């Protein structure tokens, strides 16, 4: 299929299939526009770990994938449709070398997991929470499943969301001065091999959660454990 410099459709190349092969012809959907591309007012940005792709979220809802060259030149690759509200944050959602997934969240509580290599939406849900920051956490020798998405936003404390199903597993609560979390980061101690989440609340309080002990406690909870187990229908090679 050829597109002219104005963005309009010129021609569609292809031959005629006869006989039994005619029933197996594939159909590929293409989105085309005219002289002006769709609006994309950027509200969130993420650079993938391989530093080859830039992901942006927009006020209009769609995400955009941009190729990043070694010379730091950016070129648009794909527009990902699915969100119906402004994107508030983006984060990685897996070990990027194994699965190039990112997660997005919007003002109306939508969350989506996207494969940035193919542009496919892997999982989508809508929760009654507005996230403003997400951190991906996975401890291979402590955790089952695909890890957690540690989320904070316009609600008290921190939510633990399953990185595969996008279901809420648990809440990291504060013993006192519970409030919205303004920012947070993961800290790993090589000396004692422990992980912590450090956060600052909207009122300026510094909070620290021991993630290593939380993993053991949460995975041993019978109400949560079934959701953390691998799907028995999926066979490992």
């Amino acid at each position: 299929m050829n597109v002219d410099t104005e963005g309009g459709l010129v021609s569609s190349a292809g031959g005629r299939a006869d006989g039994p092969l005619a029933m197996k012809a594939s159909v590929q959907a293409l989105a085309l526009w005219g002289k002006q591309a769709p609006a994309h007012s950027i509200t969130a940005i993420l650079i993938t770990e391989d530093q080859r792709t830039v992901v942006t979220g927009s006020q209009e809802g769609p995400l955009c994938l941009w190729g990043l060259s070694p010379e730091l030149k950016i070129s648009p690759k794909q527009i990902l449709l699915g969100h119906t509200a402004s994107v508030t944050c983006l984060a990685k959602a897996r070990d990027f070398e194994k699965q190039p997934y990112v997660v997005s969240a919007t003002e109306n509580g939508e969350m989506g997991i996207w494969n940035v290599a193919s542009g496919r939406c892997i999982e989508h849900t809508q929760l009654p929470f507005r996230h403003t920051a997400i951190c991906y956490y996975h401890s291979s020798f402590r955790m089952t499943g695909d890890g957690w998405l540690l989320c904070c936003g316009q609600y008290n404390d921190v939510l633990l969301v399953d990185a595969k199903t996008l279901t809420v597993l648990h809440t990291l609560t504060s013993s006192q001065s519970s409030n919205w979390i303004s920012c947070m980061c993961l800290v790993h101690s090589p000396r004692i091999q422990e992980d912590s989440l450090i956060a600052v609340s909207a009122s300026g309080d510094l909070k620290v959660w021991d993630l290593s002990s939380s993993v053991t406690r949460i995975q041993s909870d019978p109400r949560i454990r079934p959701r953390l187990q691998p799907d028995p229908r999926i066979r490992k090679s």
Side-chain angles (χ1 to χ4, degrees):
M1 182 167 289
N2 300 320
V3 180
D4 69 5
T5 56
E6 300 296 334
L9 177 63
V10 174
S11 66
S12 178
R16 176 180 177 182
D18 296 318
L21 293 179
M23 299 300 294
K24 298 181 181 179
S26 62
V27 177
Q28 183 176 3
L30 297 177
L32 305 176
W33 51 82
K35 296 181 179 180
Q36 187 172 0
H40 189 75
S41 308
I42 296 175
T43 55
I45 189 168
L46 170 73
I47 300 179
T48 58
E49 291 183 351
D50 61 4
Q51 297 187 358
R52 295 180 180 178
T53 304
V54 177
V55 186
T56 55
S58 68
Q59 184 177 352
E60 294 77 18
L63 275 60
C64 188
L65 303 181
W66 309 76
L68 181 62
S69 71
E71 295 77 24
L72 300 182
K73 293 182 179 180
I74 297 177
S75 58
K77 293 168 55 179
Q78 288 178 289
I79 291 181
L80 310 183
L81 305 177
H83 285 313
T84 60
S86 178
V87 176
T88 56
C89 57
L90 296 166
K92 78 171 189 175
R94 294 290 196 284
D95 181 351
F96 198 82
E97 291 185 356
K98 298 178 180 178
Q99 293 178 305
Y101 292 175
V102 299
V103 60
S104 56
T106 66
E107 287 184 345
N108 63 350
E110 292 176 345
M111 294 185 73
I113 296 178
W114 309 82
N115 184 330
V116 298
S118 65
R120 292 179 57 239
C121 182
I122 306 301
E123 190 63 50
H124 184 272
T125 192
Q126 186 165 7
L127 302 172
F129 305 102
R130 182 180 179 181
H131 308 305
T132 55
I134 299 175
C135 293
Y136 173 71
Y137 175 68
H138 183 260
S139 177
S140 58
F141 62 93
R142 287 193 179 95
M143 301 176 70
T144 58
D146 293 302
W148 295 344
L149 301 174
L150 309 179
C151 306
C152 68
Q154 296 184 358
Y155 46 85
N156 288 352
D157 301 317
V158 177
L159 294 179
L160 301 187
V161 176
D162 188 277
K164 180 178 181 180
T165 63
L166 295 181
T167 56
V168 177
L169 300 174
H170 187 68
T171 303
L172 297 177
T173 57
S174 304
S175 58
Q176 57 184 355
S177 303
S178 182
N179 204 336
W180 294 4
I181 299 298
S182 298
C183 57
M184 59 182 181
C185 68
L186 293 168
V187 177
H188 175 70
S189 173
R191 184 175 62 85
I192 60 176
Q193 292 298 308
E194 298 291 336
D195 300 317
S196 301
L197 179 69
I198 299 179
V200 177
S201 71
S203 56
D205 295 314
L206 180 66
K207 301 176 184 293
V208 180
W209 286 279
D210 181 359
L211 293 178
S212 301
S213 61
S214 297
V215 169
T216 303
R217 183 175 65 256
I218 293 170
Q219 291 190 149
S220 62
D221 189 330
R223 297 169 298 176
I224 299 175
R225 191 173 180 180
R227 288 180 285 178
L228 296 175
Q229 296 299 317
D231 191 331
R233 296 171 296 178
I234 300 177
R235 299 179 60 184
K236 294 184 178 180
S237 57

